[in-house]
Amino acid sequence: MSPEKFRMSAVSIAGVTKQFKGGTTALEGIDLEIESGEFISLIGPSGCGKSTLLRIVGDLIEPTQGTVTVNGNPARQARRDHDYGIVFQDSGLYDWRTVGRNIPLPLQPAGRGTSPTRCSAATVAIACSNAKRLSSGCDCLLAQAPI
């Protein structure tokens, strides 16, 4: 057998259905295999279930039926093990915090500290290189930052 037959999918979705209270069916019988290194796009009109599926994969909501594995583990275990990260399409930045104080924000729920020095140098460098155009650099409040 070829090595590809033994490759584990990065994400495996099998028979996933999601029904919300009130009877709305957002997803029905979804099957999808995403291989490691593969790039995919979920495309469809507003309300067709793209975000619902991603929330299920990220273990933010549970499917009504079916299973999801991420890196060979159930979605909940993969989330707890920090096997992946989630970036929402709406920004999660707080305008009352400085640029530098927004950078480590995702580390807080994981209990990894809040100091910008705990963030990777690359992340800080990218954010602050853009922030240098601001009057106070990384100390500029986002509410004062021009868009």
Side-chain angles (χ1 to χ4, degrees), residues 13 31 42 57 61 72 100 116 118 132 140 145:
I13 301 167
D31 296 308
L42 298 177
V57 171
I61 61 174
R118 294 202 39 100
K132 285 180 184 174
C140 181

Side-chain angles (χ1 to χ4, degrees), residues 8 10 13 20 25 35 39 42 50-51 76 108 117 123 135:
M8 176 177 50
I13 301 167
F20 290 101
T25 300
E35 300 299 324
F39 183 88
L42 298 177
K50 302 177 301 288
S51 294
R76 173 148 303 151
Q108 288 177 333
T117 58
T123 303
S135 60

Side-chain angles (χ1 to χ4, degrees), residues 50-123:
K50 302 177 301 288
S51 294
T52 299
L53 183 60
L54 292 174
R55 285 185 176 98
I56 290 171
V57 171
D59 189 46
L60 301 176
I61 61 174
E62 291 187 24
T64 307
Q65 192 174 346
T67 60
V68 176
T69 59
V70 179
N71 297 324
N73 293 312
R76 173 148 303 151
Q77 187 62 46
R79 178 182 53 81
R80 288 180 177 160
D81 291 344
H82 306 285
D83 279 353
Y84 59 87
I86 299 172
V87 178
F88 297 96
Q89 67 189 56
D90 295 326
S91 67
L93 300 175
Y94 294 107
D95 60 1
W96 64 86
R97 285 183 170 223
T98 65
V99 174
R101 298 264 321 178
N102 265 279
I103 294 168
L105 197 57
L107 299 175
Q108 288 177 333
R112 296 184 181 178
T114 59
S115 167
T117 58
R118 294 202 39 100
C119 293
S120 74
T123 303

Side-chain angles (χ1 to χ4, degrees), residues 4-28:
E4 288 87 31
K5 298 274 185 188
F6 296 105
R7 279 176 76 179
M8 176 177 50
S9 295
V11 176
S12 179
I13 301 167
V16 167
T17 295
K18 178 61 181 178
Q19 290 181 320
F20 290 101
K21 291 179 182 174
T24 301
T25 300
L27 303 169
E28 189 169 7

